[in-house]
Amino acid sequence: MELFFFLFIFSAVFAIFTGIFSRRSLKKQMLLFQELVHSIPQSVLFLDNTRCIRFASAAFLEQNSATESEIIGRHLSEVLGAQKYRSLREQAEPLFSGAYNLAEITFVSSENETQHREESLSYEGATLFPLRGEQSGYLCVFDDGEGESVVAPEQSTITELTLQRYLSELEQSRAKIKAQSEDLAEARDQAIQATKAKSAFLAGMSHEIRTPMNGVIGMTELLSETELTQEQRDYTSTILGSAESLLTIINDLLDFSKIEAGKLELSDAVYSPHDTLQQVANLFRFQLQEKRICFQLKMHGELPKCLYGDDHRLRQIVTNLMSNAIKFTPENGEISLEYGILKNGADAPLLQISVADTGIGIPKSAQKKIFEAFQQAEASTSRKFAGTGLGLSICVKLVEMMGGSIWLESEENVGSTFHFTVAARTPTDEQMAEYAKEQGGGDLHKEKEQRSLRVLLVEDNAVNQKLAKKVLEKLGHDAIAAENGEKALEALKDGEFDIVLMDCHMPVLDGYEATRRLRKIEEDTGSARMPVIALTANSMEGDRQKCLDAGMDDFLSKPFSKNDLQRLLLEYS
């Protein structure tokens, strides 16, 4: 039984190793396994899952006066005889079904069976062990009932030496696997830490860059609304354009990071494809006029008035393609923005949009790589036209997320056409009703525009504080400033306000904790809930949810426009 126990342990270890080692190492282990089994005095067979013989020990072959060619490949029933095989199959059924990990078999032979060749297989029983892994099957060790070795005494020494060598190699392999596992665990931990550090760095950089950008863009917009000479207006327009270009680069980097981390999510809603594309076209009106480019917006076929999807990301894709078309199209060129429904038989319909230009075109050798991150057609292109090379790679990911694909047709010195599709989902009746309700709120907004609000502005940055106060004043509201959360709570205690604009990162007491304390005060005193809007430079995935979890009502990312702020104030007034 000691040998049976050893073989049971060996079979389990061997099965584990077949799932871990490379094929080259597995072959070496298999040879060692065969060598070890050949050296033991018991008759052993290795069966596959169909009970065909794949290996026979030397003792089995010698005891049965057989060669490997006579045994290997035959079914066990042909070697044991029908009755013994039937007895084995019945007794080993729990093992074959996976219920047990060992089966001890007792053979009962009939008188007729002993008259045939199988009478040389005078085994009284057998023990079966399962082998799992790549080399799955069963190990069958026969019992001749004599309890004596049928091989020379010195073979036990060979067996012992082989076993010692195997155990030594087994221990070395175990140590190697342990070391590799520890290295992998360390590498995994380092990768997790690096990802966390990267996310923290991007969040910090986003906040630090967006805070002054908010001041630059906001103050420039305010300046452009004052009385200026034509020369001064040109200067402010240039500043504003440059600032917005820098903001686009920042947004591209953040979007690419979110996509890379799998954290970019779509915000689906009902939208009008006509209105969305017309708005994009309007954004480029002055650039098109400046370069005297002939522009056409065309619709092909019938198109539903409304679709359901993320129109913000759709606008982002079209804006990127339009921006590239204008950038690479010379003066007096032509650009068209065309759209329509693409029907694919039984498949769901797609919204197809194409942006065509008569620009410099793209060489065939570069047409595939321009969709990769940080790539442009040629190095000279980036020097002449600038850009990060991220826009198209972001478009590819967004299009895929929206259930479509993107491709291009281009010829050098003739022009390029970028096509892309997104799912054209039809809104439900409930979604359309909500959309109609939102669209019908214009009259209410007009009434609210006349109401002056008392606003508590919680902002630690002096420039952004000055900017926000100016914007609020221009919108007809009265703004009181507080430079941190602690002073905001004091102001709310002493004065009456209609709404709070809350920065998130501030000294002394940040916006998150200040809002939590405000909600606790409201709960304890039973006072009405004060609307709190996060006014922050944070724009990473999860920032909005973090604000809502702290008790804030909405989220406005810096830099913001006057219209964005006005919309929120109207909604919560």
Side-chain angles (χ1 to χ4, degrees):
M1 284 305 295
E2 289 81 359
L3 180 61
F4 288 170
F5 178 73
F6 162 72
L7 282 171
F8 174 67
I9 297 300
F10 177 86
S11 66
V13 173
F14 178 75
I16 293 171
F17 270 64
T18 59
I20 296 177
F21 282 112
S22 64
R23 292 193 175 276
R24 184 176 178 181
S25 180
L26 177 59
K27 185 177 180 181
K28 180 181 178 183
Q29 293 295 317
M30 194 64 181
L31 291 173
L32 184 60
F33 166 74
Q34 293 176 357
E35 182 181 348
L36 179 63
V37 174
H38 275 316
S39 68
I40 63 177
Q42 266 73 20
S43 294
V44 179
L45 293 178
F46 173 41
L47 312 173
D48 64 17
N49 288 318
T50 65
R51 264 73 90 191
C52 287
I53 300 170
R54 297 304 177 200
F55 172 79
S57 68
F60 181 91
L61 296 174
E62 183 177 345
Q63 287 180 24
N64 295 286
S65 302
T67 63
E68 283 191 346
S69 60
E70 293 175 326
I71 298 297
I72 304 302
R74 296 179 67 188
H75 195 271
L76 185 61
S77 60
E78 299 177 41
V79 176
L80 283 183
Q83 176 136 346
K84 281 186 178 178
Y85 178 72
R86 189 181 307 112
S87 177
L88 179 143
R89 188 181 60 191
E90 290 172 356
Q91 295 177 61
E93 181 57 35
L95 175 74
F96 295 149
S97 65
Y100 292 164
N101 286 321
L102 181 145
E104 292 189 4
I105 311 301
T106 301
F107 293 130
V108 178
S109 300
S110 65
E111 291 184 5
N112 291 336
E113 198 167 9
T114 58
Q115 304 300 318
H116 298 84
R117 182 181 182 279
E118 287 82 359
E119 69 177 348
S120 61
L121 300 184
S122 56
Y123 301 117
E124 293 188 358
T127 303
L128 267 71
F129 311 98
L131 288 175
R132 298 185 177 90
E134 288 192 21
Q135 301 294 328
S136 62
Y138 302 93
L139 200 65
C140 182
V141 183
F142 291 99
D143 178 15
D144 59 12
E146 297 179 5
E148 297 180 359
S149 174
V150 294
V151 293
E154 60 268 19
Q155 190 164 0
S156 63
T157 303
I158 298 173
T159 303
E160 189 173 326
L161 291 173
T162 304
L163 178 59
Q164 288 177 355
R165 181 156 62 89
Y166 174 76
L167 292 176
S168 175
E169 290 194 16
L170 192 63
E171 180 60 28
Q172 291 175 12
S173 299
R174 189 197 65 79
K176 184 178 179 181
I177 291 173
K178 183 180 179 182
Q180 289 176 341
S181 298
E182 290 173 353
D183 290 342
L184 287 171
E186 184 179 354
R188 180 203 61 200
D189 293 342
Q190 289 176 353
I192 292 172
Q193 289 300 319
T195 300
K196 289 181 179 178
K198 177 183 174 182
S199 296
F201 171 77
L202 285 169
M205 287 304 296
S206 171
H207 183 273
E208 294 304 318
I209 293 172
R210 283 174 177 271
T211 297
M213 282 295 295
N214 184 59
V216 171
I217 293 176
M219 285 298 186
T220 305
E221 285 182 340
L222 289 177
L223 180 61
S224 66
E225 294 175 2
T226 63
E227 291 187 12
L228 301 172
T229 66
Q230 185 57 47
E231 184 179 13
Q232 290 170 333
R233 196 165 297 281
D234 288 342
Y235 292 158
T236 55
S237 177
T238 301
I239 294 170
L240 192 59
S242 298
E244 288 175 346
S245 294
L246 179 56
L247 185 61
T248 298
I249 293 172
I250 295 168
N251 290 335
D252 280 352
L253 289 169
L254 291 174
D255 279 347
F256 180 75
S257 175
K258 292 175 189 176
I259 290 170
E260 198 177 37
K263 293 183 177 180
L264 187 70
E265 296 180 357
L266 299 177
S267 299
D268 292 337
V270 179
Y271 72 97
S272 166
H274 309 277
D275 293 347
T276 297
L277 296 177
Q278 184 63 62
Q279 288 165 9
V280 173
N282 291 341
L283 286 175
F284 294 99
R285 183 190 307 159
F286 296 110
Q287 293 181 48
L288 291 165
Q289 290 175 356
E290 189 178 26
K291 295 185 74 173
R292 296 189 294 279
I293 293 174
C294 178
F295 174 73
Q296 286 186 310
L297 179 63
K298 298 179 183 178
M299 182 181 75
H300 295 283
E302 295 183 359
L303 190 69
K305 181 179 179 181
C306 291
L307 294 174
Y308 187 75
D310 191 333
D311 68 319
H312 170 70
R313 295 300 178 183
L314 179 66
R315 187 182 289 109
Q316 181 178 351
I317 297 166
V318 179
T319 298
N320 185 278
L321 297 180
M322 280 291 296
S323 178
N324 285 344
I326 294 172
K327 183 192 300 184
F328 296 112
T329 300
E331 291 187 358
N332 301 309
E334 296 179 6
I335 293 176
S336 65
L337 174 56
E338 304 180 20
Y339 60 104
I341 291 294
L342 179 65
K343 295 182 179 179
N344 295 329
D347 295 336
L350 299 169
L351 172 62
Q352 179 170 320
I353 299 174
S354 303
V355 177
D357 64 62
T358 56
I360 61 175
I362 303 167
K364 286 192 178 296
S365 58
Q367 289 182 14
K368 287 187 178 179
K369 74 176 185 179
I370 64 167
F371 289 109
E372 299 173 6
F374 306 105
Q375 293 292 330
Q376 291 193 334
E378 296 177 357
S380 59
T381 302
S382 62
R383 288 197 298 270
K384 183 176 180 181
F385 297 99
T388 60
L390 280 176
L392 285 176
S393 66
I394 292 172
C395 288
V396 170
K397 297 298 183 183
L398 291 176
V399 164
E400 290 174 352
M401 290 176 68
M402 297 172 74
S405 57
I406 186 169
W407 68 98
L408 76 94
E409 300 172 49
S410 186
E411 186 177 343
E412 281 190 272
N413 303 316
V414 175
S416 304
T417 302
F418 283 81
H419 308 273
F420 75 92
T421 57
V422 296
R425 290 179 288 167
T426 302
T428 63
D429 292 341
E430 292 79 5
Q431 291 165 347
M432 280 302 299
E434 184 64 27
Y435 176 72
K437 183 179 177 182
E438 292 173 0
Q439 297 299 306
D443 294 338
L444 179 62
H445 284 182
K446 287 179 183 178
E447 292 176 8
K448 289 184 176 180
E449 283 178 15
Q450 306 304 313
R451 183 187 169 199
S452 177
L453 301 176
R454 186 170 169 80
V455 181
L456 177 59
L457 173 65
V458 191
E459 170 67 70
D460 65 312
N461 183 277
V463 174
N464 286 329
Q465 190 181 104
K466 182 178 180 180
L467 169 64
K469 286 187 71 174
K470 273 292 183 186
V471 172
L472 289 167
E473 287 173 8
K474 282 184 171 290
L475 292 173
H477 305 299
D478 182 22
I480 303 298
E483 58 263 32
N484 59 59
E486 191 173 273
K487 291 196 174 183
L489 292 174
E490 292 174 4
L492 287 166
K493 182 180 178 182
D494 299 334
E496 292 185 1
F497 296 91
D498 298 304
I499 195 165
V500 177
L501 300 181
M502 182 79 75
D503 188 21
C504 293
H505 295 281
M506 296 177 291
V508 185
L509 187 67
D510 65 33
Y512 303 115
E513 183 58 31
T515 304
R516 279 191 284 266
R517 292 187 188 183
L518 172 61
R519 298 307 181 212
K520 183 69 169 60
I521 292 170
E522 291 172 345
E523 183 181 347
D524 294 342
T525 60
S527 55
R529 182 183 176 92
M530 173 68 67
V532 178
I533 297 176
L535 206 61
T536 176
N538 292 345
S539 64
M540 295 297 288
E541 187 69 27
D543 287 332
R544 180 185 180 86
Q545 189 59 47
K546 187 177 179 181
C547 292
L548 297 178
D549 291 343
M552 299 181 192
D553 298 285
D554 218 320
F555 178 97
L556 186 59
S557 179
K558 300 174 186 175
F560 58 87
S561 69
K562 185 172 72 173
N563 289 338
D564 289 336
L565 181 58
Q566 183 180 26
R567 177 184 56 79
L568 276 177
L569 292 174
L570 288 170
E571 186 174 342
Y572 288 94
S573 62

